[in-house]
Amino acid sequence: MPYEKLLSPLQIGDIELANRVLMAPLTRARTPDSIPGRLQAEYYAQRAGAGLIISEATNISPTARGYVYTPGIWTDAQEAGWRQVVDAVHSAGGKMALQLWHVGRVSHEMVQPEGQQPVAPSALRAEGANCFVEFADGSSGQHPTSTPRALETGEIPGLIEDYRQAAKRAKRAGFDMVEVHAANAYLLQQFLATGSNQRSDRYGGNVVNRARLLLEVVDAVSAELGAGRVGVRLSPFIEIFGLSDDEPEAMMRYLADELGRRRIAYLHINEPDWTGEGPQLSDAFRRDLRERFSGTLIYCGHYTAERAEALIDAGLGDAAAYGRPYIANPDLVERFQRDAALNEPDPNTFYGGGAEGYTDYSTLD
């Protein structure tokens, strides 16, 4: 069988996976009312051959939103919608994690409750970033972000509670795991990065303080599910939405040590070359991460089956997450098993719409 290591089982925290081909979180903007339904259940169940499906980023609260048509997990109706999705995935033999999301400053007043300002570690606008909004005339489209307000220190316990409640709902909905989204220049990474965090309280300044919120969120979520069912997504060195960081390596070393001590299930690293262009993570960086973190290491970033097999064979990672290949190939694992050609995704149908470009891609059979 080709790609013997990539297609082999994997113990990831408290969960055993059938293979190491993971479905990466993919925003598809197909829940106009923020409630997943039958269309999402069909979409994810089609991809249940993945060792683990990581859901699209899911807002933990009304103020966490930065884009319309994205799902949430703060109401009973949303929880019930996700339960329908998870039941479909489990019936098809798959396992699924819910990614917990707060966009922070990558938002606009038009998608915030009562038109209020987005929140962030500091009142610094995400320069060059857009969010997907619905205009007054009913149309939708891209719009530059609003200037956020800085979270008050006294508000942070409530934010952590939002994460805890989201994890509690995820557990009730039947998810096997949750993933804390601390990557891609959203709220938790905004706290981690020097360029977006100019606070002078216990959540700003040095590496320990800037990491504090993420670690407190992980502790709260782990208290609900157990650390063995919690993962964290990180994107060191990434520069999008105006994010900049003077100390990415120091932060990664500290987080790897601290999250390793907490014995969470996995770290999911979104690489800086996730589009296939730009810098790549060095083997030295990967080895250092491996030495510091004893859990599962997942890498995501323009991986082929061959590249993932080589990564696992070298002992530098344990699994690879696939994004765009999973959009167009619901049977991606079977295609790897047969060493078959892949369908090409249609970028015109990535975001918004219905079944077209979502549940209608062909399988080998």
Side-chain angles (χ1 to χ4, degrees), residues 321-352:
Y322 293 83
R324 284 168 291 179
Y326 254 121
I327 289 177
N329 300 275
D331 58 345
L332 186 63
V333 170
E334 185 175 357
R335 288 175 185 268
F336 286 167
Q337 288 170 337
R338 299 191 193 183
D339 206 13
L342 303 185
N343 296 327
E344 288 296 322
D346 176 9
N348 296 316
T349 58
F350 280 179
Y351 305 110

Side-chain angles (χ1 to χ4, degrees), residues 12 22-26 52-55 97 99 178-184 189 230-236 252 259 264-271 274 281 285-286 289 293 295-303 318-323:
I12 180 169
L22 277 57
M23 180 176 169
L26 291 161
L52 179 70
I53 293 172
I54 305 170
S55 81
Q99 190 187 64
V178 298
E179 178 176 282
V180 176
H181 194 353
N184 294 24
Q189 189 170 21
V230 174
V232 172
R233 195 178 210 220
L234 299 166
S235 55
M252 280 301 301
L259 293 170
I264 66 167
Y266 69 81
L267 289 181
H268 179 187
I269 309 300
N270 193 27
E271 300 192 18
W274 62 276
L281 297 179
F285 175 85
R286 297 180 201 267
L289 201 57
F293 182 75
T296 297
L297 290 177
I298 303 162
Y299 287 96
C300 182
H302 207 66
Y303 274 85
D318 301 296
Y322 293 83

Side-chain angles (χ1 to χ4, degrees), residues 26-355:
L26 291 161
T27 295
R28 305 302 305 276
R30 280 170 165 84
T31 52
D33 55 3
S34 81
I35 301 171
R38 286 179 292 181
L39 185 63
Q40 285 71 37
E42 180 183 1
Y43 167 74
Y44 283 113
Q46 287 177 343
R47 290 152 178 82
L52 179 70
I53 293 172
I54 305 170
S55 81
E56 61 205 278
T58 300
N59 304 294
I60 62 167
S61 70
T63 57
R65 301 174 71 221
Y67 310 87
V68 293
Y69 312 148
T70 54
I73 188 65
W74 70 85
T75 70
D76 291 345
Q78 292 164 346
E79 180 183 323
W82 277 120
R83 187 180 304 115
Q84 180 181 5
V85 173
V86 175
D87 286 348
V89 169
H90 285 167
S91 294
K95 291 184 170 68
M96 191 168 184
L98 181 70
Q99 190 187 64
L100 305 180
W101 190 30
H102 193 305
V103 302
R105 68 182 189 174
V106 187
S107 186
H108 192 276
E109 294 164 5
M110 281 189 280
V111 298
Q112 290 290 312
E114 300 176 354
Q116 63 193 34
Q117 280 180 287
V119 296
S122 302
L124 300 170
R125 185 171 165 270
E127 298 292 342
N130 291 321
C131 44
F132 196 62
V133 304
E134 192 163 15
F135 299 104
D137 63 3
S139 64
S140 59
Q142 300 289 328
H143 199 287
T145 57
S146 299
T147 300
R149 67 172 183 84
L151 278 162
E152 299 289 340
T153 306
E155 294 179 283
I156 289 181
L159 172 65
I160 296 169
E161 178 64 13
D162 287 341
Y163 276 97
R164 189 185 71 80
Q165 288 293 336
K168 187 174 183 178
R169 287 186 179 277
K171 183 178 180 179
R172 288 203 303 248
F175 283 97
D176 301 284
M177 313 184 83
V178 298
E179 178 176 282
V180 176
H181 194 353
N184 294 24
Y186 294 120
L187 180 70
L188 294 178
Q189 189 170 21
Q190 291 160 27
F191 271 85
L192 298 176
T194 59
S196 48
N197 185 342
Q198 298 182 2
R199 301 176 71 91
S200 58
D201 64 358
R202 63 197 297 263
Y203 293 96
N206 60 31
V207 166
V208 174
N209 283 354
R210 297 198 315 275
R212 191 183 307 277
L213 178 58
L214 170 56
L215 296 176
E216 289 180 347
V217 166
V218 168
D219 290 342
V221 169
S222 296
E224 290 295 329
L225 288 93
R229 292 177 181 266
V230 174
V232 172
R233 195 178 210 220
L234 299 166
S235 55
F237 314 112
I238 202 165
E239 295 182 355
I240 56 174
F241 301 156
L243 187 85
S244 63
D245 191 0
D246 296 332
E247 300 180 312
E249 291 196 46
M251 179 59 77
M252 280 301 301
R253 287 194 293 269
Y254 179 71
L255 287 177
D257 288 341
E258 288 298 313
L259 293 170
R261 277 195 278 272
R262 285 164 170 78
R263 304 187 69 81
I264 66 167
Y266 69 81
L267 289 181
H268 179 187
I269 309 300
N270 193 27
E271 300 192 18
D273 66 331
W274 62 276
T275 61
E277 301 176 355
Q280 295 187 9
L281 297 179
S282 69
D283 286 353
F285 175 85
R286 297 180 201 267
R287 291 191 192 97
D288 185 52
L289 201 57
R290 171 67 84 193
E291 291 175 4
R292 293 173 182 276
F293 182 75
S294 59
T296 297
L297 290 177
I298 303 162
Y299 287 96
C300 182
H302 207 66
Y303 274 85
T304 61
E306 292 85 355
R307 186 175 170 224
E309 181 77 5
L311 179 83
I312 298 167
D313 189 49
L316 299 174
D318 301 296
Y322 293 83
R324 284 168 291 179
Y326 254 121
I327 289 177
N329 300 275
D331 58 345
L332 186 63
V333 170
E334 185 175 357
R335 288 175 185 268
F336 286 167
Q337 288 170 337
R338 299 191 193 183
D339 206 13
L342 303 185
N343 296 327
E344 288 296 322
D346 176 9
N348 296 316
T349 58
F350 280 179
Y351 305 110

